[in-house]
Amino acid sequence: MLGIERLLPEGIRGESMNFQQKARHIPCANCGQHTKKGGRAAFRLLEHTADMGIEAVAPTCDELFVQAAKALLSILAGQGRAFGDVQERTIEVTAGDMEELLVVWLNELLFMIQARGLWPLDMAVVRIHAGALEMRLRVVPLAANPEREIKAVTYHHLLVTHRHGQWRARVYLDL
Amino acid sequence: MRTDGLVFANRAMMAALQKEQALEQVRNVATLPGIVGPSLAMPDIHWGYGFPIGGVAAFDADEGIVSPGGVGYDINCGVRLLRSNLQAQELRPCLQQLADALFRNVPSGVGSHRRDLRLTLAQERKVLQQGARWAVAQGMGNELDLQHIEDGGCLAGADPDLLSERALERGRDQLGTLGSGNHFLEIQMVDEIREPRLADVLGLFPGQVTVTIHTGSRGLGYQVCDDYLRIMLRAAARYGISLPDRQLCCAPLNSPEGRQYLAAMACAANFAFANRQLITAWVRESFEQVLHQSAAAMGLSVIYDVCHNIAKYEQHVVAGVPRRLCVHRKGATRAFPPGHPDVPACYRAIGQPVLIPGDMGRYSYVLVGTAAGFEETFGSTCHGAGRLLSRHAAKKLASGRRIEEELAARGIVLRAAGRGTVAEEISEAYKDVTEVVEVVQQAGIGRIVARLRPLAVIKG
């Protein structure tokens, strides 16, 4: 595996982890606190002929952005390996509206993983409004890249809605 | 809609298309300002994002727009075909060894790269300006290679200053890498010659070993596209362009945003040309290591190299009037006719070579462009088989099967960086490329010259 050479110093094996499982179990400081009101936070993957879509629902906007991130991470399949110390990272992004903000956030997360080799262990929204998002993450360096490459998160059929107390997002990825 | 949609397909293809959103995407493209002629779709059309995959649209140089979504994230994703003097049966005894050598020498899969290739920022900027010429200047290829690449392996007007630091960062480690997904490297044999006279001009003969390289501009291209989509979202609003889908965001060709995108896109296109040139050098190196002959003695030379995600200014005649148009090809191949000045001199009598890869278990085709295609589709044709099944559906179909063994039973050696990719890329996930090129041939927008069959497949 040539991918390992980029990140892993000689002789270090790293901790083995399944990306898909990891993605589903990312704890989120913002998630769960609203579920008592009956809201549901979840994501599912959407079929697309060549690519893939994700749909997320959540009772709050904060949770929606975390759920969408979890959906994205679950697609980066394969067996990875983490090594090194857990680090703190803050991602701050701005956009013209909520829909664009979602795409920009997910692309930023992808860049952190695919270009910088950092895997998020957990994340929490610090602040979010129509034009800006600040997300705090704890990340761990990856010893091997996820098996699947996501080229980008697209603006195709993009949707973020807030109706009857429920937030919903739909976004398609270029694989 | 400002114009008609025109889809090249047979009845079965049309029935399949109704089930997805590709036709809606053809219609959406037809609403964009300054579109000239119909919003076109080639027979490998399928649902994309923004433009359909297999989409072709031409825009007036003065009134029209340029859309990064009409080119796609993998700018100048393309295909290169190499020929050899070797017969397939000569290669059989060492095919496994050769597949191993290619898998070792050509980085494939996510995150892999050659340890002996480290670019400084200054070198990377040169790659972006010079494309395949840069690689040849480093001793990775020869002058003849350059003559057999679309645009000579270098798009003019590339300006590296228009790329973000992030795009440059993503590119630096990824030059000379195949990538993953549908990208591949294949050793093939010429299985059937349809047009012996044309095949002779291309240097193809029955049983001959060929090599196909399919890759693009990697992370650098994705980043250029993403950066400029954000710019174009603002620009479209500023220029009062209404968008049926945000992914179609665009700016007038003669606006600062439009010009800057084209100059940035040219950088990514040149990166992709250099990428395929470096991989060519490592293919030659691999053949030399295994067969103990020089690449020159084995006749390993470039037949042609085509882009299939690109927007370019071209001269076309519309309703009897010559016009300068910006032709977007998104999952479509330029297919210029015999006599066109942009076709290399050695092929000018027969038309531009068009390379159509199929899936990893069946066939690929070599075609040439036609005069009818130049008139009807702005000199464009299909770019591949086109996906039929979603990745999820393909994985389900592959579940429990030993794809590698199935291919081996058909005489095909497989080397893959990831198991998941193989399942998603099974033959059944794609349309039969033979049907696709038959539609092209019947419609007169391409002429089939030869069919190639895979011997060894390297997947990322």
Side-chain angles (χ1 to χ4, degrees):
Chain A
M1 285 286 290
L2 282 158
I4 296 169
E5 291 165 15
R6 186 166 69 106
L7 295 158
L8 199 64
E10 284 299 310
I12 295 181
R13 299 279 311 153
E15 177 208 346
S16 179
M17 60 187 217
N18 180 299
F19 285 120
Q20 242 154 331
Q21 281 173 7
K22 276 275 179 197
R24 286 191 183 267
H25 295 114
I26 285 182
C28 160
N30 310 80
C31 296
Q33 62 198 27
H34 299 275
T35 47
K36 280 178 195 159
K37 292 181 195 165
R40 184 173 67 95
F43 69 81
R44 68 185 181 110
L45 305 182
L46 303 173
E47 290 279 296
H48 183 287
T49 318
D51 300 301
M52 215 177 264
I54 59 186
E55 191 178 58
V57 290
T60 67
C61 181
D62 292 18
E63 285 186 48
L64 186 78
F65 274 62
V66 174
Q67 282 298 329
K70 288 168 94 163
L72 182 83
L73 298 173
S74 77
I75 294 172
L76 294 163
Q79 199 70 29
R81 278 191 289 154
F83 82 101
D85 295 332
V86 175
Q87 306 164 15
E88 296 234 343
R89 281 281 186 285
T90 300
I91 290 182
E92 281 185 86
V93 285
T94 56
D97 58 36
M98 221 48 168
E99 291 180 336
E100 191 188 332
L101 192 65
L102 179 70
V103 174
V104 176
W105 150 239
L106 295 177
N107 272 323
E108 196 68 25
L109 187 64
L110 263 187
F111 178 79
M112 192 186 80
I113 299 166
Q114 298 189 150
R116 296 271 161 83
L118 297 172
W119 182 262
L121 297 173
D122 56 46
M123 58 183 79
V125 175
V126 178
R127 94 197 139 83
I128 187 168
H129 58 81
L133 167 74
E134 185 182 343
M135 188 78 81
R136 190 169 301 144
L137 306 102
R138 283 195 322 126
V139 300
V140 63
L142 280 177
N145 289 288
E147 184 182 314
R148 191 202 297 282
E149 180 181 59
I150 297 177
K151 285 179 187 157
V153 180
T154 81
Y155 296 87
H156 171 58
H157 273 218
L158 174 63
L159 200 74
V160 174
T161 59
H162 183 209
R163 276 192 211 119
H164 313 298
Q166 190 182 49
W167 286 86
R168 181 176 292 275
R170 182 186 64 207
V171 64
Y172 282 93
L173 317 171
D174 183 14
L175 301 184
Chain B
M1 277 173 68
R2 295 169 193 260
T3 182
D4 291 338
L6 177 59
V7 179
F8 290 83
N10 62 25
R11 247 187 219 123
M13 287 172 185
M14 279 311 273
L17 278 177
Q18 314 272 348
K19 293 182 201 147
E20 49 165 48
Q21 298 180 39
L23 294 176
E24 182 193 313
Q25 293 185 315
V26 174
R27 191 176 62 213
N28 288 344
V29 171
T31 68
L32 295 174
I35 186 165
V36 175
S39 164
L40 294 157
M42 301 298 116
D44 51 341
I45 177 181
H46 59 84
W47 182 15
Y49 41 89
F51 273 55
I53 309 298
V56 177
F59 296 89
D60 182 82
D62 299 316
E63 310 285 320
I65 54 89
V66 61
S67 169
V71 172
Y73 290 92
D74 198 353
I75 296 165
N76 189 8
C77 185
V79 180
R80 175 180 287 214
L81 179 66
L82 311 181
R83 66 177 300 284
S84 77
N85 297 332
L86 305 166
Q87 279 284 346
Q89 66 246 37
E90 292 175 59
L91 214 62
R92 277 277 170 214
C94 54
L95 198 56
Q96 298 276 354
Q97 224 185 325
L98 191 55
D100 287 335
L102 287 169
F103 195 56
R104 194 173 55 236
N105 292 332
V106 180
S108 51
V110 182
S112 60
H113 66 95
R114 289 268 294 216
R115 278 181 160 180
D116 56 359
L117 184 75
R118 288 267 177 214
L119 288 184
T120 63
L121 183 60
Q123 286 169 325
E124 188 182 17
R125 289 172 63 90
K126 282 197 176 136
V127 171
L128 302 177
Q129 287 167 317
Q130 300 171 4
R133 280 188 215 155
W134 176 85
V136 169
Q138 310 305 306
M140 313 284 273
N142 55 56
E143 199 53 40
L144 211 55
D145 293 347
L146 298 177
Q147 291 171 23
H148 295 165
I149 306 174
E150 190 168 324
D151 297 297
C154 178
L155 283 195
D159 182 355
D161 288 339
L162 294 170
L163 265 56
S164 64
E165 272 181 34
R166 191 165 276 200
L168 296 169
E169 179 188 335
R170 287 179 77 172
R172 211 162 308 146
D173 264 2
Q174 293 193 336
L175 187 67
T177 66
L178 201 57
S180 65
N182 63 358
H183 293 158
F184 67 82
L185 172 60
E186 216 170 83
I187 306 173
Q188 305 149 318
M189 65 172 278
V190 177
D191 186 53
E192 186 193 45
I193 300 271
R194 287 267 191 106
E195 301 257 14
R197 188 183 62 82
L198 305 188
D200 201 42
V201 176
L202 295 174
L204 292 170
F205 55 83
Q208 176 188 20
V209 172
T210 59
V211 179
T212 292
I213 299 161
H214 175 210
T215 187
S217 50
R218 313 286 291 110
L220 183 133
Y222 316 159
Q223 192 66 45
V224 168
C225 181
D226 185 49
D227 289 342
Y228 278 86
L229 281 170
R230 293 195 72 189
I231 292 168
M232 294 301 191
L233 282 171
R234 312 274 171 279
R238 188 159 50 251
Y239 296 109
I241 301 168
S242 68
L243 301 170
D245 183 349
R246 282 190 181 204
Q247 192 70 19
L248 294 174
C249 61
C250 53
L253 279 159
N254 54 20
S255 67
E257 294 90 342
R259 283 195 293 269
Q260 284 163 10
Y261 169 67
L262 283 172
M265 182 208 74
C267 289
N270 290 341
F271 185 93
F273 282 134
N275 195 23
R276 293 195 286 273
Q277 185 64 38
L278 289 179
I279 291 173
T280 300
W282 297 328
V283 167
R284 287 175 169 143
E285 177 187 48
S286 305
F287 270 74
E288 286 176 343
Q289 283 169 0
V290 174
L291 294 159
H292 308 293
Q293 291 181 57
S294 75
M298 288 180 276
L300 277 168
S301 57
V302 179
I303 291 184
Y304 206 57
D305 178 314
V306 293
C307 322
H308 54 223
N309 286 350
I310 203 84
K312 284 196 290 196
Y313 280 112
E314 293 169 3
Q315 287 290 338
H316 290 274
V317 177
V318 183
V321 183
R323 290 176 74 169
R324 187 165 177 255
L325 304 173
C326 181
V327 182
H328 290 57
R329 296 190 181 90
K330 168 77 176 294
T333 314
R334 194 186 77 173
F336 277 179
H340 195 286
D342 289 346
V343 178
C346 57
Y347 303 136
R348 207 162 289 155
I350 62 166
Q352 181 211 305
V354 178
L355 317 169
I356 311 295
D359 59 77
M360 64 184 179
R362 287 180 280 191
Y363 304 108
S364 294
Y365 281 87
V366 181
L367 286 74
V368 287
T370 63
F374 196 62
E375 279 171 30
E376 270 202 68
T377 59
F378 302 105
S380 313
T381 192
C382 65
H383 84 307
R387 270 195 93 93
L388 193 61
L389 299 181
S390 73
R391 289 164 195 265
H392 180 69
K395 257 187 164 163
K396 235 164 109 180
L397 201 63
S399 157
R401 285 164 54 183
R402 293 170 188 273
I403 303 300
E404 200 174 334
E405 286 174 22
E406 284 180 27
L407 289 173
R410 289 149 74 180
I412 303 166
V413 175
L414 177 69
R415 294 287 181 275
R419 264 180 185 285
T421 314
V422 173
E424 290 176 2
E425 293 288 317
I426 53 169
S427 291
E428 296 93 322
Y430 287 86
K431 291 180 204 171
D432 183 345
V433 70
T434 303
E435 275 183 46
V436 174
V437 293
E438 286 297 347
V439 170
V440 163
Q441 169 115 338
Q442 282 166 30
I445 58 172
R447 194 167 165 194
I448 301 171
V449 178
R451 185 174 71 187
L452 314 174
R453 190 152 58 84
L455 298 173
V457 183
I458 314 296
K459 291 292 289 185

